[in-house]
Amino acid sequence: MVSCVVSVASSLYHLWAHTPVPSKIVVGVGSPRHHPIDDLIANATTTLHSLLSKQTTTLTDSASAYRERRGRHPPPGFDVWHSFASAHDAVLVEDFFDRIYDDLGPFWSVPAKQIRQQARQLPNRIVVRNRKVRTRKGDRKRLDQWIDMVQKIQDKLPDLDLPLNMLDEPRVAVSWEDISSYTETAAAARQQQPAHEVVKDFASLDIDSETIEHDEPTFSHESPYWDLVRAGCARDAPSPNISVPTNLSRPVNSPTPFTYEGFVSNWTRAKDPCLQPELASSHGALIAPLSQSTSQTLIPMFSSSKFSMNNDILLPAFAYWQSKSDYATGNSHGPTWDKKITRVVWRGISSGGGNTPENWRQFHRHRFVELMNASAVRSVSAPQTFHLPPYRSRVYTPHNHFELSRWIDAISDVAFTELQCTIGSENECAHATPYYKTAKKVPMNKQFAAKYLPDIDGNGFSGRYLAFLRSTSVPIKATLFAEWHDSRLVPWYHFVPMQNSFVDLYGILAYFVGWMGKDDGVDNGGVVIMEGGHDEQARRIAMQGKQWAEKVLRREDMLVYLLRLLLEYRRVCEDGRDVMGWVDDLLEKG
Ligand SMILES: *[C@@H]1O[C@H](CO)[C@@H](O)[C@H](O)[C@H]1NC(C)=O
Ligand SMILES: *[C@@H]1O[C@H](CO)[C@@H](O)[C@H](O)[C@H]1NC(C)=O
Ligand SMILES: *[C@@H]1O[C@H](CO)[C@@H](O)[C@H](O)[C@H]1NC(C)=O
Ligand SMILES: *[C@@H]1O[C@H](CO)[C@@H](O)[C@H](O)[C@H]1NC(C)=O
Ligand SMILES: *[C@@H]1O[C@H](CO)[C@@H](O)[C@H](O)[C@H]1NC(C)=O
């Protein structure tokens, strides 16, 4: 029997812990049996290697990879983009930019003039003219971050107007019929002109003197939001036919689609509300988004994150650019793995949407916090936000409720720091106070003293994610939101993916941490012995995620992405866009 003491509760962390920390957790006693997560981890390694095998370095190779994947010539300025990327040692894999083409694809069917004019009509714009950002900084935190980002590359940019979304929530949701007709028209028209016919430079548009010929974009504030966004789902997906759930006072009891024995095996699908109508009643941002202002026609709107059926154009989030914020941890990564404590730490406010006495039991953050609360699991009155599956039916989360709650007690330090409920009503959080106790905030770099860091959506994406990836702890990520970096990150290699119902939460933790032996427990002098854990696998994912984030999620990488995005965006705003491109490599060949 091999036993390795891997965790000594660090005094650093003790200061902040909300629940008592066992003096020691011993992981890795006994030889672990074969587990489905072993297979998922093995496949993730293959996925990463096949991604890396597509890396290009020279300008010519990058241009060929572009033509092959996009079916067009690269945009004017591609050479400038490439030398910028190379000067910053960016890892170039064409797939890393897929998001840009998914987002901009349908715009190729919208008249260019309409796109530029709508961009001019929207507030909160960044205006670039003569290679300078004209928009002035002010006290608008988000806009200022993005201005700063664009300024770093302004000398390489053509004139453009960049309308930005200042809300947490996405802003554009066009019907599936419209989007698929745009996409089909664009795909049919896509071509690669003979090189000598290609126009190599952006036209010098006098955007500001153009007479506006289009109506100002309008935004709907209608609820329920679900009815608006499910129209964006493919008609053969289940969601368009499922209307908004009427009874929101039931705890969530989710099935487990797109999994391999209960664990996420296709991350893209696991995040897609079109494929899982039950998410309409188990994620706050779909149940009752805090702000709702949605365009149902295709307009250019740049956002930090969106649902699969939204049509916003994504750019790196302002929260990832900030160098001073709760989420910016600079170069601090927490102690080395062997000095970390075996714990699950999470802090945050009860956001996620407008939660009320009627709907809060369906909210994702409320569910997550209760799942990690041993007293709630043990309580005679059933937990409010979830059904515990009968323990015999879950192969990978063994044991009865009492043992489960002891186990949670030993590893969990999860709490809200503030209850935030429907705004405007007196005693507004009375519905939540019996079930949640707030705790002190734990600064991000103190959280890194724990090995496991779940990352849960708020009203929009979670701004902690980049810091978690850059830490030397393991991010356990559940989200419904798409972000700029999605195609760079491989689930089970750089982070641990989790379903949005969180039904796999215990199974994931049981795999990594193990399960406590029969006679050991918190009562046993504070020493807890865990059997069958996979501490080494956890350490590897933590380190792989960190090293990768330092290679492909740096500020430089955000700029490389942004520059590519803006060159493409500008091309699609040009009347002559179909015959415009970068073809110097082909002309040289003759
Ligand atoms: C792993 O990859 C193989 C080969 O692509 C595939 O057949 C298998 O289903 C995958 N296993 C899992 C658990 O995803
Ligand atoms: C949704 O409803 C339409 C119209 O009734 C039907 O044609 C379609 O097959 C349904 N889709 C699914 C996935 O059930
Ligand atoms: C909603 O569900 C709850 C819990 O299952 C039940 O008690 C209640 O009667 C239901 N309400 C309606 C209107 O169906
Ligand atoms: C995951 O699902 C998406 C969408 O259905 C599909 O395109 C993709 O190939 C799948 N990925 C894997 C690794 O199976
Ligand atoms: C855990 O659950 C119990 C019972 O519902 C509740 O009284 C307590 O406040 C909860 N603790 C936290 C940290 O939310």
Side-chain angles (χ1 to χ4, degrees):
M1 195 149 92
V2 211
S3 134
C4 55
V5 178
V6 292
S7 121
V8 180
S10 85
S11 53
L12 177 76
Y13 179 77
H14 263 295
L15 281 174
W16 298 93
H18 176 59
T19 43
V21 184
S23 63
K24 193 160 43 176
I25 291 186
V26 184
V27 180
V29 178
S31 52
R33 269 170 306 196
H34 182 77
H35 191 288
I37 292 181
D38 294 330
D39 299 334
L40 292 162
I41 289 178
N43 274 18
T45 310
T46 317
T47 306
L48 181 75
H49 288 155
S50 76
L51 203 55
L52 281 178
S53 70
K54 301 191 212 170
Q55 191 178 343
T56 55
T57 46
T58 65
L59 175 57
T60 346
D61 287 349
S62 300
S64 313
Y66 182 104
R67 290 191 186 95
E68 192 184 320
R69 201 162 177 84
R70 314 295 168 206
R72 286 197 174 90
H73 292 302
F78 189 74
D79 50 345
V80 175
W81 170 81
H82 189 273
S83 54
F84 178 72
S86 305
H88 291 290
D89 294 317
V91 177
L92 294 183
V93 173
E94 186 54 34
D95 307 39
F96 287 0
F97 303 91
D98 283 355
R99 173 93 267 150
I100 295 176
Y101 300 88
D102 293 344
D103 294 350
L104 290 179
F107 284 93
W108 282 84
S109 304
V110 178
K113 196 174 188 183
Q114 184 178 329
I115 308 174
R116 347 185 250 277
Q117 298 203 344
Q118 284 176 329
R120 255 178 80 202
Q121 289 170 310
L122 290 161
N124 302 307
R125 260 174 312 145
I126 294 181
V127 177
V128 181
R129 298 288 183 271
N130 297 322
R131 305 198 176 269
K132 278 225 156 60
V133 170
R134 266 207 208 153
T135 314
R136 261 211 299 271
K137 288 201 195 180
D139 53 2
R140 298 154 300 178
K141 203 170 83 187
R142 298 178 183 201
L143 188 58
D144 287 354
Q145 290 301 321
W146 277 317
I147 290 175
D148 189 48
M149 212 187 280
V150 176
Q151 272 173 338
K152 295 278 188 297
I153 52 169
Q154 61 186 359
D155 60 322
K156 299 169 190 56
L157 292 176
D159 291 359
L160 49 84
D161 293 278
L162 189 63
L164 291 149
N165 175 10
M166 297 293 121
L167 304 179
D168 286 344
E169 297 81 359
R171 302 290 301 280
V172 188
V174 181
S175 77
W176 180 78
E177 281 76 11
D178 286 355
I179 285 297
S180 38
S181 114
Y182 285 141
T183 311
E184 276 162 31
T185 313
R190 191 168 56 193
Q191 53 171 321
Q192 290 183 37
Q193 236 74 25
H196 63 275
E197 291 172 15
V198 169
V199 176
K200 290 162 64 182
D201 295 306
F202 292 118
S204 55
L205 285 173
D206 192 0
I207 304 178
D208 300 303
S209 61
E210 261 181 8
T211 322
I212 304 250
E213 292 161 12
H214 295 276
D215 292 341
E216 225 164 278
T218 55
F219 295 89
S220 154
H221 309 282
E222 252 168 68
S223 75
Y225 185 58
W226 176 249
D227 282 347
L228 206 134
V229 285
R230 71 189 165 104
C233 296
R235 285 298 166 264
D236 58 355
S239 288
N241 287 7
I242 310 286
S243 59
V244 80
T246 45
N247 192 344
L248 287 169
S249 60
R250 285 167 307 178
V252 166
N253 193 8
S254 256
T256 56
F258 320 119
T259 62
Y260 173 61
E261 304 203 21
F263 300 100
V264 173
S265 59
N266 186 321
W267 183 230
T268 315
R269 288 167 162 251
K271 288 165 59 173
D272 192 347
C274 289
L275 303 176
Q276 301 167 78
E278 61 278 6
L279 288 170
S281 54
S282 52
H283 194 287
L286 285 173
I287 298 170
L290 214 53
S291 2
Q292 208 269 89
S293 172
T294 307
S295 166
Q296 291 169 279
T297 51
L298 191 62
I299 55 162
M301 175 66 83
F302 290 78
S303 297
S304 298
S305 69
K306 63 174 176 180
F307 296 120
S308 67
M309 59 282 215
N310 287 116
N311 311 99
D312 304 50
I313 304 165
L314 298 188
L315 80 174
F318 65 92
Y320 296 151
W321 186 257
Q322 277 168 309
S323 51
K324 285 200 193 95
S325 83
D326 285 354
Y327 302 148
T329 51
N331 290 323
S332 108
H333 305 294
T336 53
W337 187 260
D338 56 333
K339 298 251 161 43
K340 287 184 197 283
I341 59 167
T342 300
R343 277 227 137 177
V344 183
V345 173
W346 187 87
R347 286 292 185 283
I349 61 173
S350 66
S351 64
N355 66 90
T356 64
E358 291 74 42
N359 69 17
W360 72 274
R361 286 178 181 80
Q362 316 282 121
F363 270 56
H364 52 289
R365 284 194 166 187
H366 291 77
R367 179 167 66 254
F368 170 74
V369 172
E370 201 178 26
L371 273 162
M372 290 311 290
N373 177 342
S375 323
V377 169
R378 193 163 34 219
S379 73
V380 198
S381 61
Q384 300 293 305
T385 59
F386 61 93
H387 287 300
L388 270 182
Y391 71 93
R392 279 185 208 291
S393 73
R394 296 238 149 259
V395 183
Y396 300 101
T397 52
H399 308 283
N400 61 37
H401 296 184
F402 180 67
E403 287 167 324
L404 181 62
S405 70
R406 280 172 62 221
W407 177 75
I408 295 172
D409 245 338
I411 60 172
S412 169
D413 182 4
V414 168
F416 285 130
T417 52
E418 186 192 325
L419 292 177
Q420 190 191 67
C421 306
T422 336
I423 295 156
S425 62
E426 187 100 3
N427 206 0
E428 54 194 27
C429 277
H431 59 272
T433 42
Y435 306 105
Y436 299 96
K437 196 162 110 212
T438 55
K440 269 188 299 196
K441 278 190 180 177
V442 180
M444 200 71 81
N445 53 4
K446 301 281 190 301
Q447 295 185 20
F448 299 167
K451 286 181 182 172
Y452 301 97
L453 305 174
D455 196 26
I456 310 297
D457 289 339
N459 300 328
F461 76 106
S462 159
R464 303 161 177 75
Y465 193 32
L466 180 58
F468 282 6
L469 285 162
R470 295 177 72 246
S471 78
T472 49
S473 300
V474 183
I476 301 177
K477 179 77 174 168
T479 184
L480 277 184
F481 291 101
E483 292 187 61
W484 76 281
H485 57 219
D486 291 344
S487 55
R488 303 176 174 224
L489 293 166
V490 177
W492 298 111
Y493 192 92
H494 300 122
F495 68 96
V496 172
M498 175 164 64
Q499 296 183 54
N500 286 289
S501 60
F502 316 131
V503 285
D504 46 350
L505 172 60
Y506 298 149
I508 288 169
L509 291 171
Y511 171 80
F512 289 113
V513 175
W515 197 263
M516 52 178 77
K518 276 274 168 286
D519 303 319
D520 300 290
V522 214
D523 340 317
N524 189 16
V527 179
V528 177
I529 313 266
M530 296 289 183
E531 289 175 0
H534 295 75
D535 192 68
E536 174 55 21
Q537 280 82 347
R539 188 193 63 81
R540 256 187 263 143
I541 293 175
M543 293 316 294
Q544 285 159 188
K546 170 182 183 285
Q547 282 155 7
W548 193 236
E550 287 170 355
K551 269 186 131 154
V552 306
L553 303 179
R554 305 163 304 162
R555 287 161 75 87
E556 293 87 334
D557 298 304
M558 297 180 204
L559 295 177
V560 168
Y561 185 95
L562 184 64
L563 180 54
R564 170 76 89 90
L565 170 66
L566 295 183
L567 293 175
E568 294 290 3
Y569 168 62
R570 168 58 200 252
R571 178 165 61 172
V572 88
C573 290
E574 287 252 0
D575 302 319
R577 63 197 177 190
D578 288 314
V579 293
M580 192 168 272
W582 183 84
V583 288
D584 288 2
D585 56 334
L586 304 179
L587 293 173
E588 269 163 32
K589 268 194 247 159

